[in-house]
Amino acid sequence: SGLATTTSRAASVTRGDARTDGTARQTGKGNSVASTRGTWPERYEKLERARKIERAQAIQNGEIQDPDKPRALSEAITPVGKCMDMCAEYERVERVVQKDIWAEETDPNTSAYTTLDREPDEARMVKKFRRSAAGIEEQLPSDLRPPLVLQKTCDYLFNEVIGNAIDIAKVHHFVWDRTRAIRNDFSIQQISDADGLRIAIDCYERIARFHILSLHQLALSEPPYDKYDWQQEREQLDRTLLSLVQYYDDSRGKVKLVNEAEFRSYLIIFQLQDPIPDLEDRVQTWSPHIVQHPRVRKALRLYAAACNTKDLQGPLKPGSAHVVAQQDWQRFWNLLHSPRTSYLTACVAEIYFNMIRTMALQGLLRSSNQRSLSGEYTIHEMISILALNDVEELETFCGSFGITLTPETGGERYVDFSGLKGRQTLPNPVTALPKQMKTDLVEAKRFGRSFPAVINRMSVKDAQGAGLLIPGEDDTMGDIVDDGTANARDAEQAEDVNAGDSLFMPETATPQTKRAPQLQGFLNQNAPFASTKAPATEAQVSLFSFGQPATAAPMFGAPSPGSTLFAPKSTDSTTSASKFNFLAPAAKEETSKSAPAPESNGFGFTAVPANLGPAKSAAFGGSSFASSATPATDPKPAESTLFAGNNGASTQSQSAPSFS
C-alpha cells in the first residue's frame, strides 16, 4: 500500500548500526557533501552550537528579526535564503536523529528487510514542511532556499521522484508535503525581482498541475493510501492558485506570463458552484488577450453549459437561481469530448461531474412519467449519458437516488425509475456521493503521457520527442499536434459552432438607423417589452450577445428582434463601434445557407443533434436535448444566448487535438 512508502517514521537507530557513524551515502542527486563528520548525534551537537552563533550574527547584521525587540510592520525584515541544498544540513541531521526519515529519502540500493531499514541518503532528502507556531524560532537564512534552488527541488520532485515511481499514490504524500515547503519558502522571502518572479511562477504552475493531476488520478473507490484526503488536496490547490494569481498580478509588465490563460481557464471552471456569481466582474478585469484565448473561451462555454438553477446563489439570503443557467448537460459532455479540450481542463471539470450527472437525471425524470422511463433507457445508454465507466458505477450512482436497474434475465437491462413514482424532482442522495470519481473520458485525453510530461505542460508531440510516452498507452493517439497548432485552429475556426453563448454584453455596439420612436412597456400592446431601437439585421447580431433572443419568437412577451436586455437608448446617428470587443469570437465560420433551420421549443432552447447515443424523449417538456426533430446532417445550430440559450449539443469539429 501507499502507507509503507509515505510514512514519516524511520527505523530505530542503535549503536553499532551502519548509520550511526553519520556518514550517509551521497549520490550527488541534490544536496552537497556534509560539512561535519562523526556519528549522527555528534554531528547534531556540532551543528546545534554553530546554529546559535549563526542566529546571533544574523540578528546583529539585520538579516532576521530580533525576537526581543519588537518592530513596526513597516520596519519588518524580509529574509533572503542562502541554503544551496534541497534540505539544509542541520535539518538533515536533526531528522535522522529524531527518526523522521521518509522512505523516499533512503538509499534504494542498500539491502534491508523493509524500506525504512535502508540507510538515509542525504542527497535525496528534501526540506520538510513545518507550520509556524508559538515557541518555534524564526528560520535562519541558511534554512531558506533561494529561487534557483527551489526550482531545482521542483525538478527533482516531479521528474525524479514522480517520474521513477511505480504509482503516483506511492510517492504522493511525500511530494505533497515537500511542495508545501517550497511554497512556504517563496512566501517568506517575498520574491519581487524579475528573475525570481519568473522562477516562482514556473514552480507554482507546476505545483498546481500536480494537485490537479492528483485529484483525478487518486479519485478512486477506495483511498489510495491511509493519509490521503481529497479535501486537503483541493485546499492546497486553491491556495496554490490564489498565490499564483497574485504573482501574475504582481509580475505584469515585468515578465512574460506565457501560461496565464491556462490557469485563468481553470479558475472559471472552479466558479461553477461558487455561492457568489461574480465571474463576469472577474473576467472583465482580465487583459483582452487572455479573454480571447481559446482555453478561456472553452472554459466559459463549459461554465455556461454546466450552470444550473438548483444551487441558489447571491451575496444576500435567501439566494436566487442563476439567471443565465443553461443546464445543458449534453453540451457539457460534448465540449469535454472535443479534441481541443485539454487533459488538465477535463481533470478540473471532473470535480463537477456528479453535479452534471444529477442534472441529467433530473431532466430525464421530469421529461416523462416513471412508467415510460422505466423501460426507456438501457444501462449502456445511461452509462453514456452520465459519463460513467461501468455498470457498477451506474448502479451505485443511481441507487443513491432510489433508481434501480432491472434484473439480469438474459436480455437487455434497463434503468428503472419506478421507485420515484409521483416525484418531479430527485430526492437527496441516500448515501453520500464521492467528491470525485476517476473517469475514462478524462483519462483518455492523457494519450500515454507520463506524469512528469503532464506536470511540465508537454504536448503529446513534445512528450514523444522526449521519450515520455508510456509504452502501450499511446496506440490510440491519432494525429499529434502541439498546443500552438491547436490554439491557432481554435481561433481560426471558432471551434465551438455555437459561439453565440456568452455571459457578457458585447462592447461593440451595433449600427442603428433612423426610425420613428415606439411606445414602450404596456402602453403598446403590440410590443409590451419593445424598445425604440431599430431591429437588428442578421449580420448585426453579435456572436457574443448577452441578452439577445435565439429566434424571432422569444420566450416571454414578444421583444423586438433586435432588442437586448440592456438596450441602448435610441439615437439618430449611427453608433460607432468601440475600439476593441474583448468577447467577440476570434473568427467566424459562415453558416451554410442550405442548412435547415433548427426548431425552437417552448423554452427558447434550440434542438440540435446529439453525439451521445440515440435520440430519446424530451427531457424538459418542449423537445429533447437530443431531439430527432433536427436532421443529423444539420451542419450548424442557430446562434443563441444564455437567456434564450442553445441547449442543443454543439457538434464538434473532429480535427487534430491539442493534448495539453
Side-chain angles (χ1 to χ4, degrees):
S1 68
L3 179 63
T5 57
T6 55
T7 180
S8 60
R9 294 181 295 107
S12 59
V13 179
T14 58
R15 287 291 178 181
D17 188 280
R19 290 171 290 179
T20 58
D21 60 0
T23 56
R25 296 173 61 88
Q26 295 285 338
T27 63
K29 281 183 176 292
N31 299 320
S32 60
V33 178
S35 62
T36 56
R37 294 291 182 269
T39 63
W40 294 113
E42 291 172 351
R43 289 180 60 189
Y44 181 68
E45 291 177 4
K46 293 178 183 179
L47 291 171
E48 187 69 32
R49 291 194 298 268
R51 188 174 181 82
K52 293 179 180 179
I53 299 174
E54 180 186 1
R55 182 173 297 279
Q57 190 68 36
I59 293 175
Q60 182 178 354
N61 296 338
E63 296 176 336
I64 62 173
Q65 177 79 27
D66 187 348
D68 298 327
K69 297 180 180 179
R71 291 173 178 256
L73 183 61
S74 58
E75 300 176 350
I77 299 174
T78 301
V80 178
K82 296 181 179 180
C83 176
M84 302 310 294
D85 294 331
M86 296 189 300
C87 183
E89 183 182 6
Y90 174 79
E91 180 184 329
R92 301 199 304 259
V93 176
E94 179 188 44
R95 289 208 282 121
V96 171
V97 172
Q98 294 177 353
K99 303 170 186 173
D100 190 12
I101 301 298
W102 295 41
E104 293 79 7
E105 298 173 320
T106 60
D107 183 7
N109 298 319
T110 57
S111 59
Y113 289 107
T114 65
T115 304
L116 298 176
D117 288 331
R118 297 170 179 165
E119 295 182 13
D121 186 351
E122 288 192 61
R124 298 175 184 269
M125 295 181 70
V126 183
K127 182 178 181 179
K128 178 183 177 181
F129 174 76
R130 295 184 179 180
R131 293 181 176 87
S132 299
I136 298 180
E137 293 181 324
E138 180 183 357
Q139 296 188 65
L140 296 175
S142 61
D143 298 326
L144 299 173
R145 298 162 291 182
L148 279 174
V149 178
L150 292 170
Q151 188 177 44
K152 181 185 71 172
T153 306
C154 281
D155 293 340
Y156 172 73
L157 291 174
F158 299 139
N159 299 337
E160 295 286 338
V161 177
I162 293 181
N164 295 325
I166 300 175
D167 182 2
I168 191 173
K170 301 292 184 183
V171 298
H172 174 267
H173 191 52
F174 176 77
V175 178
W176 184 86
D177 179 89
R178 273 33 178 190
T179 52
R180 289 188 71 185
I182 290 174
R183 291 191 286 118
N184 190 50
D185 276 12
F186 273 120
S187 177
I188 292 174
Q189 297 177 77
Q190 300 180 19
I191 307 298
S192 58
D193 63 287
D195 291 336
L197 288 172
R198 188 179 297 105
I199 293 173
I201 289 172
D202 171 70
C203 292
Y204 272 79
E205 287 177 344
R206 288 193 284 170
I207 292 172
R209 293 192 194 104
F210 161 72
H211 287 305
I212 294 172
L213 178 68
S214 299
L215 282 170
H216 164 67
Q217 291 293 331
L218 303 182
L220 307 174
S221 57
E222 296 293 335
Y225 60 90
D226 290 347
K227 292 185 178 181
Y228 179 73
D229 185 276
W230 185 93
Q231 192 62 44
Q232 289 186 0
E233 188 77 44
R234 174 68 191 276
E235 178 184 346
Q236 294 307 313
L237 172 59
D238 290 344
R239 293 184 178 183
T240 303
L241 290 174
L242 177 61
S243 299
L244 179 59
V245 170
Q246 292 174 345
Y247 272 119
Y248 284 151
D249 294 337
D250 295 341
S251 304
R252 207 168 306 283
K254 296 182 181 179
V255 298
K256 187 176 181 180
L257 308 175
V258 294
N259 298 324
E260 181 180 5
E262 174 191 353
F263 291 92
R264 295 287 185 184
S265 69
Y266 302 153
L267 293 175
I268 292 173
I269 300 175
F270 278 127
Q271 288 286 301
L272 272 174
Q273 289 186 304
D274 196 295
I276 302 178
D278 59 347
L279 179 62
E280 177 181 355
D281 296 334
R282 295 190 185 192
V283 174
Q284 288 182 356
T285 64
W286 299 351
S287 302
H289 75 279
I290 296 296
V291 180
Q292 288 282 19
H293 195 279
R295 284 182 178 268
V296 174
R297 292 160 61 83
K298 170 71 74 174
L300 286 171
R301 295 180 187 117
L302 285 168
Y303 176 89
C307 283
N308 67 88
T309 58
K310 180 181 178 182
D311 297 328
L312 300 182
Q313 297 178 314
L316 303 178
K317 302 297 182 182
S320 59
H322 202 297
V323 295
V324 292
Q326 287 187 359
Q327 298 194 139
D328 194 343
W329 50 269
Q330 198 159 44
R331 185 178 180 227
F332 182 86
W333 297 134
N334 285 340
L335 287 170
L336 280 176
H337 275 290
S338 168
R340 292 190 181 91
T341 299
S342 70
Y343 174 58
L344 289 179
T345 297
C347 288
V348 174
E350 187 182 55
I351 297 173
Y352 303 96
F353 276 13
N354 281 342
M355 181 190 78
I356 304 300
R357 292 170 179 138
T358 304
M359 183 193 305
L361 279 182
Q362 177 65 56
L364 296 177
L365 178 65
R366 295 183 61 183
S367 66
S368 182
N369 57 53
Q370 287 78 11
R371 178 179 300 176
S372 63
L373 274 178
S374 297
E376 184 74 11
Y377 293 91
T378 67
I379 59 174
H380 299 292
E381 289 172 339
M382 190 61 73
I383 287 174
S384 177
I385 290 173
L386 301 181
L388 294 167
N389 296 329
D390 50 41
V391 178
E392 182 180 354
E393 288 188 0
L394 176 65
E395 190 169 14
T396 301
F397 184 81
C398 291
S400 64
F401 296 100
I403 302 171
T404 60
L405 308 181
T406 58
E408 297 185 32
T409 58
E412 190 72 68
R413 300 182 67 190
Y414 292 86
V415 179
D416 186 1
F417 285 79
S418 60
L420 302 180
K421 185 176 181 179
R423 297 187 64 100
Q424 289 296 313
T425 58
L426 284 177
N428 292 326
V430 177
T431 57
L433 296 173
K435 298 288 187 181
Q436 187 176 354
M437 296 188 295
K438 185 177 180 181
T439 311
D440 293 341
L441 164 64
V442 175
E443 186 61 16
K445 291 181 171 290
R446 186 156 67 98
F447 285 94
R449 283 172 295 176
S450 65
F451 296 143
V454 174
I455 293 172
N456 291 319
R457 197 180 180 268
M458 299 177 70
S459 66
V460 179
K461 183 177 181 179
D462 295 336
Q464 187 180 47
L468 294 178
L469 291 183
I470 301 174
E473 294 189 13
D474 58 345
D475 52 354
T476 59
M477 284 190 303
D479 296 331
I480 300 176
V481 295
D482 55 20
D483 291 340
T485 303
N487 289 340
R489 292 180 182 177
D490 229 10
E492 293 172 0
Q493 299 177 4
E495 72 162 277
D496 187 1
V497 294
N498 198 14
D501 297 330
S502 169
L503 298 176
F504 316 105
M505 283 288 292
E507 287 192 347
T508 303
T510 56
Q512 304 194 16
T513 58
K514 281 188 176 182
R515 63 170 299 184
Q518 296 178 347
L519 293 177
Q520 286 187 302
F522 295 99
L523 296 179
N524 184 354
Q525 300 300 324
N526 295 325
F529 296 97
S531 70
T532 59
K533 180 173 179 281
T537 64
E538 182 179 355
Q540 292 171 344
V541 179
S542 171
L543 283 180
F544 271 86
S545 53
F546 183 60
Q548 296 173 356
T551 65
M555 296 164 53
F556 307 108
S560 59
S563 65
T564 66
L565 184 66
F566 307 102
K569 294 182 179 179
S570 175
T571 177
D572 292 340
S573 59
T574 301
T575 306
S576 59
S578 59
K579 294 182 179 179
F580 185 78
N581 182 1
F582 72 98
L583 278 173
K588 292 184 182 180
E589 289 183 325
E590 294 185 0
T591 306
S592 174
K593 295 182 180 179
S594 62
E599 297 182 3
S600 176
N601 61 21
F603 292 90
F605 301 146
T606 303
V608 295
N611 295 331
L612 297 178
K616 293 296 177 183
S617 59
F620 287 96
S623 66
S624 168
F625 289 146
S627 173
S628 59
T630 304
T633 58
D634 187 357
K636 188 173 182 180
E639 294 172 356
S640 62
T641 68
L642 286 181
F643 280 126
N646 182 354
N647 267 359
S650 58
T651 55
Q652 296 293 331
S653 175
Q654 297 299 323
S655 58
S658 165
F659 308 110
S660 57

